[in-house]
Amino acid sequence: MGIAKYILVALLLINQANAEDVYSDQFQTIQTTEFYEVVTDEETGEEIEVLISNTKAPSFIETLAKKPRAIKLGEGNILMMTKQLIALGKEIYKIVEAGKPVTTVTSQPIEILPKDDKGGYIPAMQLHDWKAPVVKKYSVKTKNYLGISPISFDFMLIFSYGGQDNGKGKYITGAEVRPTNIDIKWGYNFDAEFKVQNIMNQGSSDSPVASAVLMLEYKISTVLQTHIGNKTFFVNGLGQALSY
């Protein structure tokens, strides 16, 4: 009975210590946010994380500044356009809300397609020579002042490229950011959204090469702090994908 009593007291003390850690300022305050690209090692075939950026979180409560909304034309799903290109999709895709992937909203991945003679667009299914999708893997990790990682967010950037119209141009379809894993500790909240910042033609007027600047924005909140971060990606019809 004596040993059992000591074990019970020890467990209560451990639980109390953990509870104090969870509620402490050090636990509830983010120190850094690290952004990784997940790549495959050519020698071992194993996936490894390559650090892209390490951002120190602000020590004060940060508010989200109002930004210009993306251009919308008409009431359809045309997001923005240039002289030769039309981007289709939604203005903002909420991909994580309250720490959970958004699955109830019908996703419409971004397409950047050629204009037709009437100023409309030529559907992706009417183009040819599409290439297999490019898939890039990334991970966002936070650290608090206890050295604990309270949030880990893994996602993929996916798009198909190279579609042509009668042998001309290089277009994009199916561009999206898709969550693959989210790990959030108690006391933290995480939201993320994906949007198109801009589109441009990297080719000629006769044979356009579609390209786009995409952005992932995320917000991490605790009772003590709100931290807003973002990551920018560039993709084009040649299959190139860069992160900034």
Side-chain angles (χ1 to χ4, degrees):
M1 293 294 293
I3 295 176
K5 182 178 179 179
Y6 286 127
I7 293 175
L8 178 60
V9 171
L11 289 174
L12 290 174
L13 290 174
I14 290 172
N15 288 334
Q16 182 179 2
N18 288 338
E20 289 174 353
D21 285 343
V22 168
Y23 286 104
S24 70
D25 292 355
Q26 290 86 356
F27 184 89
Q28 294 283 339
T29 305
I30 302 162
Q31 184 178 27
T32 60
T33 300
E34 298 171 337
F35 194 89
Y36 297 85
E37 181 174 357
V38 182
V39 299
T40 301
D41 188 287
E42 294 182 357
E43 295 182 359
T44 65
E46 297 180 351
E47 289 188 339
I48 56 176
E49 294 179 341
V50 179
L51 182 64
I52 297 176
S53 63
N54 186 335
T55 305
K56 185 176 181 181
S59 58
F60 52 87
I61 294 179
E62 183 180 5
T63 56
L64 178 62
K66 292 184 178 180
K67 296 182 179 181
R69 298 174 69 84
I71 300 170
K72 278 193 173 182
L73 304 173
E75 297 181 356
N77 58 353
I78 296 176
L79 186 60
M80 56 185 69
M81 65 172 64
T82 68
K83 187 175 181 180
Q84 295 88 16
L85 305 171
I86 294 182
L88 307 177
K90 290 173 58 179
E91 180 180 358
I92 296 175
Y93 294 86
K94 293 187 179 297
I95 57 178
V96 179
E97 285 187 301
K100 297 181 180 180
V102 176
T103 57
T104 57
V105 179
T106 301
S107 175
Q108 181 189 352
I110 302 300
E111 298 182 287
I112 306 176
L113 303 172
K115 280 186 177 181
D116 61 21
D117 295 336
K118 298 180 180 180
Y121 64 89
I122 301 174
M125 66 180 63
Q126 294 184 19
L127 305 181
H128 61 88
D129 204 29
W130 287 108
K131 303 296 187 292
V134 171
V135 179
K136 305 281 280 187
K137 297 181 180 180
Y138 299 94
S139 181
V140 177
K141 299 180 186 294
T142 62
K143 287 185 180 179
N144 61 22
Y145 282 87
L146 294 177
I148 297 171
S149 179
I151 293 179
S152 177
F153 172 49
D154 301 332
F155 65 94
M156 297 189 298
L157 171 67
I158 307 172
F159 67 101
S160 295
Y161 70 99
Q164 295 188 304
D165 176 28
N166 293 321
K168 293 184 177 181
K170 299 284 185 181
Y171 301 98
I172 295 172
T173 189
E176 62 177 321
V177 169
R178 184 180 303 170
T180 56
N181 184 65
I182 305 173
D183 184 17
I184 302 175
K185 294 191 181 299
W186 186 91
Y188 279 77
N189 189 51
F190 182 78
D191 299 283
E193 62 186 28
F194 161 63
K195 64 178 68 175
V196 180
Q197 291 290 98
N198 195 16
I199 64 172
M200 62 201 79
N201 175 17
Q202 288 190 290
S204 64
S205 297
D206 294 333
S207 187
V209 175
S211 62
V213 178
L214 312 175
M215 178 173 285
L216 171 73
E217 289 189 343
Y218 56 89
K219 182 171 71 172
I220 302 169
S221 304
T222 71
V223 294
L224 297 177
Q225 184 188 46
T226 297
H227 172 55
I228 295 167
N230 61 70
K231 201 66 183 176
T232 302
F233 303 94
F234 173 84
V235 300
N236 67 13
L238 301 174
Q240 296 174 321
L242 304 173
S243 61
Y244 302 93

